[in-house]
Amino acid sequence: MANIHVNKNVHPFDKTRFEALLNRRFFYAPAFEIYGGVAGLYDYGPPGSSLQANIISEWRKHFIVEDHMLEIDSTIMTPAPVFETSGHVARFADWMVKDTKTGDVVRADHLVKGVLEARLAGDKEARGLVAQPQKDDEKKKNKRAAKAATAAAQLLSDDAARGYEAILAQLDNYSGPELGELCRKHDIRNPDTDNEVTEPQQFNLMFTSSIGPTGQHPGYLRPETAQGHFLNFSRLLEFNNGRVPFASAQIGRSFRNEISPRAGLLRVREFTMAEIEHYVDPEDKRHERFHEVRDFAVDLLDRNVQASGSTQTRKIKVGEAVADGIIANETLGYFVARIHQFLVKIGVDPTRLRFRQHMANEMAHYATDCWDAEIQNSYGWTECVGCADRAAYDLTVHSNKTGHPLIVRQALKEPIVTERLVAEFNKKVLGKTFGKDAGWIQNTFAELDESRLLEIQIQLAKGSTLVTTPDGRDLTLTPEIVTIERKTFKQSIREFTPNVIEPSFGLGRILYVLLEHNFWAREQDIERGVLSLPPVVAPTKVLIVPLSAKEEFDPLIQEVSSKLRKAGIFSRVDDSNTSIGKRYARNDELGTPFGLTLDFASVQNRTMTLRERDTTGQLIGGIDEVITVLIDLVNGTTDWTEACKLLPAYDGIQAID
Amino acid sequence: MANIHVNKNVHPFDKTRFEALLNRRFFYAPAFEIYGGVAGLYDYGPPGSSLQANIISEWRKHFIVEDHMLEIDSTIMTPAPVFETSGHVARFADWMVKDTKTGDVVRADHLVKGVLEARLAGDKEARGLVAQPQKDDEKKKNKRAAKAATAAAQLLSDDAARGYEAILAQLDNYSGPELGELCRKHDIRNPDTDNEVTEPQQFNLMFTSSIGPTGQHPGYLRPETAQGHFLNFSRLLEFNNGRVPFASAQIGRSFRNEISPRAGLLRVREFTMAEIEHYVDPEDKRHERFHEVRDFAVDLLDRNVQASGSTQTRKIKVGEAVADGIIANETLGYFVARIHQFLVKIGVDPTRLRFRQHMANEMAHYATDCWDAEIQNSYGWTECVGCADRAAYDLTVHSNKTGHPLIVRQALKEPIVTERLVAEFNKKVLGKTFGKDAGWIQNTFAELDESRLLEIQIQLAKGSTLVTTPDGRDLTLTPEIVTIERKTFKQSIREFTPNVIEPSFGLGRILYVLLEHNFWAREQDIERGVLSLPPVVAPTKVLIVPLSAKEEFDPLIQEVSSKLRKAGIFSRVDDSNTSIGKRYARNDELGTPFGLTLDFASVQNRTMTLRERDTTGQLIGGIDEVITVLIDLVNGTTDWTEACKLLPAYDGIQAID
């Protein structure tokens, strides 16, 4: 394929035209639009659905098939006890503030971000510096920011500007009370009304419901698919013949009742996720395929750099990052690389992709380390994939709550042989002598450490030992009742709770940035856009364009589409009553990478032209010859440059016939 | 493939072993099992997920690709006004009764069915007739029915037995109050407690929630995906260039808060549906591909036969059924045939498949006609696909509610030219003469019919005409003010609300009956089952079985699996430390249709054996030769009988090496 990023640099990203295209061609649209819409809910139309299905299909191949993951499909509706145990009921919340007069609700961190960014933009304006085109664009879309900017189009002191930038660099690290303090200290108000806001309060993001006709069983819509994996851990482990490491994977809908959804598909209340839970031995987080990614370089933005107030990434090989302790272990590193490869394969611009480590206060309650794949777009840097080490958190809490062991039992190659002192009781005498104290005595001895047992052994050798009950009675034990002996123990099974590494993909966000990164327009047709989607995800791979809807083309259309279908490639026919050029332009908007033109020459000579979307270059050849090249192009086993060597260029004369 | 239905007849269906297999191999399991489970919620494990994904993939090809449907993906969370308009808030309900003492809740129709069936079974027992093995099986599973049966193991009068059978034949046709009457008349009580039950009350089946942080926006989880299609109708029509007929399609999760879920995957609270909404001209419900299915025969059970108390189907060609008015139109008929073909393609036994027409009281509130694809299984005949004519119901109510026209505007090939009498006013004089009555006069004249206008024309020719206002004043109109003239009107656009034909698939139900229909066991290994799933839906297509886990087989394993992958076929390797026979048997349980054995002969001579699951027959050949045959087998372009002609049978000697 032509290098689409070169094209894009020629034409700066035009968000208005971009959004118009997505809306006009029904990639997606606000759900319930004719009812006035509901914030944060979107429906995907035919090209959006197809793009999403293709992303999912490629995800399945790239992750599930490639690494033999176990796919599952668990329910969305979840009884309350599950999320009480997992900690979501208590802690899966955002901080919101209310306008003190209107009662309008805003997410606290978004408020601080919007106002401070607007003030910095106003400061730049006041200093006569040109604001970033991106910021301008954002201003147009964001009423709040725009108002705030207008209000604050004034100079800031250098100290204030630097202070704001430092706050923004670690915004995700503030607690609720700290966000409230920032609002008071920097006089941050609701920009819509200029009213003060309340202290931040927590708002749980889970949608609630109730299960069954009696209303007795409260339930939640899952905010992530992960718990469905963990609860099935024992079954999955058994399916994997009891061996770790292995991974489960799930693609499905999740729900978060966002406080004030905005930014289109980037922050929504219902979304499709793809999640992997990779279970590893906590003492061995190596990955058997790590060598394949060791030399793969990624852009990292670690926790320490952010804490210093900077957002400067550095390019580093995954192997080095793990060796230097920047990325905690091989498995996390393996997934960071694999996520990067996946995103670039489906069409994300690698120069606008970075991995940012979560700061301490920012991490979800279950995570011990987390790297987000962030992708730059017109809204800024957006988290599209999270890659968290959830340690043993989830399996442990569910196991403790239910009494169902969620553990791995591993036969040790070499049994571990240990010797230690143990107390041996003559239970008959013990019971006769101490009655109901007998149990307490045994439990107490079982918990004594080696040195204490040694003392007792010595005392017993001298005749007897004394123990004191919790209620203060002294009991005398003799060697007739208890002896302390050194015994050998052989442990042939090791039991452990695995740790979980979780790559978690927000497919809607990925879909959106993918569209942004691949949108541009041709000099000669600036009104219409082109979506340079890679063939692997393009909604339609091949458009068949007969010169007209005349019946004489039907047999050839049938032949070509059937030959393509046999190769697993689904084509569409556009025989509408408009020029070939217009039909192609319409399909450039949908991202269709290849076109086949059937004209009178096709009928007479069995030739056909092949058009490439990004270059608009055309080649010509015999029908079967062209199909062979096309199949390789769609499957990615060849590219346009190679295809141009295999087939002669088409000079355009025949089509006029 | 071998004829699996022959195999099944040899070994009667063993439900206990069948369920044990599904559970042991984690096809699916109760969700939240370690928390004690929640009725009606199930998780799919790896083979179940994979089977479901393959059914969906084939569904996409069979319906969406084949008929160029427009796929969409709309949200599950739905604001209340949508379902208020669609009628679901008022009418999407089941009738439930409560135990008068314990308050336990039961679905009224299920109660009547369970008790009457149990009494009929008890009657048969009392008469010394052998009960159906199937009933026996059901009895074991259904505590209520079992208790009722025990309680009622006594003779019924011939009249009573016939009466019960008649009730059961049209059970779906009773209203709530009628079900209550049946309970009183036939002394139907809660079989768990023998207590009487309350009058049936309606219980709405939609799960409720609320959207946003303020709790002001009530929402429902969709009980079907259909409304998401209808609300997007204008956008879809535009995407289809304004033309009907066309269809939209959607695959997604829906939710119904069932009163008392039971029967495993057949009645659940959360399920994956695949729905098609096919929009047609209400005056022309022909289908352009109807000729392809005209001679295709299906088993029909129409409304009249059921009303007569019978459940006798008749086999009839779709073309005849439409011609005879049994199936209302070609489009319904086309889908009935296509649904049948799809179900059989994925492995449903065609002899246990029928299409049953809904009875008048049974139909959903939006439907004008409905045919269910019902599939026989151990629970009886189960609706797996509904095929309803929703007429213009949904588009009309949403359009009326929102004021957004959901219509088709069609350019007429021949403009419709009509002549009619119209009143022409001299507005100046009219206004001067009658002031504020002028508007009323014009509106009144606009609504007069042809004959009345003719009368007025005659009166005006004689000098004047009188009209009487609502408040009783007589107004005199002269030819100076109004004339009646014959005018010609030309209509070049026709506007209409399309009708909707809706095939709606419950994928979980289909998946379950598919598993039942394809389960059997070999004489020599009755403990283990075989799932004779067609290759198109089998979770794994090919199992690669090296003689051992020795490294010398690795290069061959890599070569074979990579060649298969290039052909789009994903294989699994089983190199576990157990006999080849056992490894195959384990994969027979998962429905893996083909196996490849790699042994020392493979390393030395590059030969490989190919095993077929149902016959356990084995063939041998060169590696590439076997792969070629295998690809055709998996893709369904050849069958095992043909394969046996292409490759020599394997005598089994080499594998022992």
Side-chain angles (χ1 to χ4, degrees), chain A residues 173-477:
Chain A
N173 204 24
Y174 292 108
S175 68
E178 284 167 343
L179 288 167
E181 213 173 293
L182 287 175
C183 289
R184 285 195 305 279
K185 185 170 166 198
H186 299 288
D187 192 31
I188 293 171
R189 293 155 176 265
N190 180 357
D192 283 344
T193 60
D194 207 36
N195 297 330
E196 288 185 11
V197 295
T198 61
E199 278 304 293
Q201 294 170 286
Q202 278 201 310
F203 173 69
N204 194 293
L205 296 182
M206 289 193 293
F207 281 100
T208 57
S209 192
S210 101
I211 306 169
T214 56
Q216 286 164 343
H217 302 289
Y220 294 100
L221 303 190
R222 65 180 179 200
E224 54 171 23
T225 76
Q227 303 304 320
H229 301 238
F230 303 139
L231 298 187
N232 285 304
F233 174 73
S234 298
R235 284 183 172 275
L236 291 165
L237 179 66
E238 193 190 334
F239 194 88
N240 203 50
N241 298 321
R243 293 186 282 200
V244 287
F246 75 96
S248 54
Q250 178 166 205
I251 301 154
R253 215 52 83 83
S254 293
F255 293 79
R256 296 184 187 178
N257 196 5
E258 293 286 347
I259 292 166
S260 43
R262 53 175 197 175
L265 291 190
L266 297 187
R267 187 165 300 282
V268 292
R269 287 177 164 148
E270 179 175 340
F271 49 97
T272 302
M273 302 180 88
E275 291 194 305
I276 295 163
E277 309 295 339
H278 180 95
Y279 310 92
V280 291
D281 184 336
E283 292 172 12
D284 180 6
K285 297 190 180 179
R286 287 176 304 169
H287 194 288
E288 63 165 357
R289 299 182 69 176
F290 188 69
H291 62 276
E292 296 177 24
V293 302
R294 198 182 292 280
D295 292 330
F296 188 83
V298 288
D299 287 307
L300 296 188
L301 173 57
D302 71 37
R303 187 179 286 166
N304 297 332
V305 171
Q306 295 167 71
S308 77
S310 162
T311 56
Q312 187 63 50
T313 61
R314 65 169 167 142
K315 194 164 216 80
I316 183 168
K317 288 182 181 171
V318 170
E320 281 172 38
V322 171
D324 295 353
I326 301 169
I327 296 176
N329 57 63
E330 282 192 3
T331 299
L332 263 177
Y334 176 75
F335 280 115
V336 162
R338 293 284 297 157
I339 291 164
H340 187 290
Q341 289 165 351
F342 171 73
L343 292 172
V344 172
K345 187 192 285 181
I346 61 170
V348 168
D349 179 353
T351 65
R352 302 169 77 188
L353 169 60
R354 72 181 184 194
F355 285 83
R356 188 179 70 79
Q357 191 175 29
H358 275 210
M359 308 189 72
N361 283 345
E362 177 188 1
M363 268 187 295
H365 63 268
Y366 45 72
T368 60
D369 191 11
C370 187
W371 288 86
D372 284 345
E374 293 189 333
I375 305 177
Q376 198 190 28
N377 62 87
S378 63
Y379 292 99
W381 286 92
T382 303
E383 174 202 348
C384 291
V385 187
C387 192
D389 186 340
R390 295 177 80 129
Y393 176 80
D394 304 271
L395 295 177
T396 305
V397 293
H398 287 303
S399 181
N400 289 347
K401 176 72 183 179
T402 62
H404 184 101
L406 299 174
I407 52 166
V408 175
R409 289 169 56 84
Q410 209 170 53
L412 291 167
K413 278 181 194 167
E414 299 270 332
I416 298 171
V417 179
T418 48
E419 285 197 344
R420 62 174 194 271
L421 290 177
V422 287
E424 291 279 314
F425 289 93
N426 181 330
K427 291 200 179 153
K428 215 166 162 181
V429 183
L430 178 73
K432 216 188 291 180
T433 315
F434 295 108
K436 62 183 168 50
D437 286 326
W440 175 82
I441 293 170
Q442 284 179 83
N443 290 340
T444 304
F445 270 74
E447 286 175 10
L448 296 178
D449 63 17
E450 190 85 4
S451 61
R452 180 77 187 101
L453 286 169
L454 198 63
E455 280 174 32
I456 293 172
Q457 191 180 33
I458 294 164
Q459 289 164 359
L460 285 169
K462 292 176 181 168
S464 70
T465 185
L466 272 185
V467 289
T468 309
T469 63
D471 56 359
R473 288 172 293 122
D474 281 340
L475 307 178
T476 304
L477 302 177

Side-chain angles (χ1 to χ4, degrees), chain A residues 22-26 28-35 38-39 41-47 49-50 52-53 60-61 64-66 68-79 81-82 85-86 96 103 105 203 207-214 221-222 228 230-232 234-236 238-239 241 243 250-253 255 257-260 269-270 272 397-399 401-402 404 406 565 570-576 586 590, chain B residues 22-26 28-35 38-39 41-47 49-50 52-53 60-61 64-66 68-79 81-82 85-86 96 103 105 203 207-214 221-222 228 230-232 234-236 238-239 241 243 250-253 255 257-260 269-270 272 397-399 401-402 404 406 565 570-576 586 590:
Chain A
L22 297 189
N23 185 53
R24 188 171 69 246
R25 305 310 303 272
F26 198 12
Y28 60 88
F32 320 109
E33 201 177 15
I34 66 172
Y35 278 82
V38 174
L41 295 177
Y42 289 87
D43 291 344
Y44 289 9
S49 299
S50 182
Q52 178 182 250
R60 275 208 173 95
K61 280 184 210 152
I64 297 184
V65 173
E66 190 64 38
H68 301 292
M69 294 175 180
L70 305 183
E71 187 168 356
I72 63 163
D73 190 11
S74 71
T75 64
I76 293 166
M77 181 62 71
T78 307
V82 172
T85 306
S86 70
M96 65 175 185
V105 174
F203 173 69
F207 281 100
T208 57
S209 192
S210 101
I211 306 169
T214 56
L221 303 190
R222 65 180 179 200
F230 303 139
L231 298 187
N232 285 304
S234 298
R235 284 183 172 275
L236 291 165
E238 193 190 334
F239 194 88
N241 298 321
R243 293 186 282 200
Q250 178 166 205
I251 301 154
R253 215 52 83 83
F255 293 79
N257 196 5
E258 293 286 347
I259 292 166
S260 43
R269 287 177 164 148
E270 179 175 340
T272 302
V397 293
H398 287 303
S399 181
K401 176 72 183 179
T402 62
H404 184 101
L406 299 174
R565 190 161 54 229
F570 296 103
S571 56
R572 283 207 171 247
V573 179
D574 185 348
D575 60 359
S576 60
R586 234 159 40 186
L590 294 176
Chain B
L22 297 190
N23 184 55
R24 186 172 70 246
R25 305 309 303 270
F26 197 11
Y28 60 89
F32 319 110
E33 200 176 16
I34 66 172
Y35 278 82
V38 174
L41 294 177
Y42 289 87
D43 291 344
Y44 289 9
S49 299
S50 182
Q52 179 183 249
R60 275 209 172 93
K61 279 186 211 152
I64 298 184
V65 172
E66 190 65 37
H68 301 292
M69 294 174 181
L70 305 183
E71 187 168 356
I72 63 164
D73 190 10
S74 69
T75 63
I76 292 167
M77 181 62 72
T78 307
V82 171
T85 305
S86 70
M96 64 175 188
V105 174
F203 174 69
F207 281 100
T208 57
S209 192
S210 102
I211 307 169
T214 56
L221 304 189
R222 66 180 180 201
F230 303 139
L231 298 186
N232 285 304
S234 298
R235 285 184 171 275
L236 291 166
E238 193 191 333
F239 195 86
N241 299 319
R243 292 186 282 200
Q250 178 166 204
I251 301 154
R253 214 52 82 83
F255 293 78
N257 196 4
E258 293 286 347
I259 293 167
S260 43
R269 287 177 164 147
E270 179 176 340
T272 302
V397 294
H398 287 304
S399 182
K401 177 71 181 180
T402 61
H404 184 100
L406 298 173
R565 190 160 55 228
F570 297 104
S571 56
R572 285 211 169 244
V573 179
D574 185 349
D575 61 359
S576 60
R586 235 162 35 189
L590 295 176

Side-chain angles (χ1 to χ4, degrees), chain A residues 521-574:
Chain A
R522 298 189 206 284
E523 201 80 65
Q524 64 274 29
D525 190 6
I526 197 82
E527 283 305 317
R528 275 189 192 275
V530 180
L531 282 174
S532 289
L533 297 168
V536 69
V537 293
T540 303
K541 315 298 183 202
V542 180
L543 184 76
I544 299 175
V545 185
L547 193 60
S548 73
K550 282 190 187 145
E551 277 176 21
E552 58 192 306
F553 298 118
D554 285 354
L556 279 184
I557 293 173
Q558 290 306 321
E559 180 190 340
V560 171
S561 61
S562 141
K563 280 179 176 167
L564 288 172
R565 190 161 54 229
K566 268 192 195 128
I569 297 165
F570 296 103
S571 56
R572 283 207 171 247
V573 179
D574 185 348

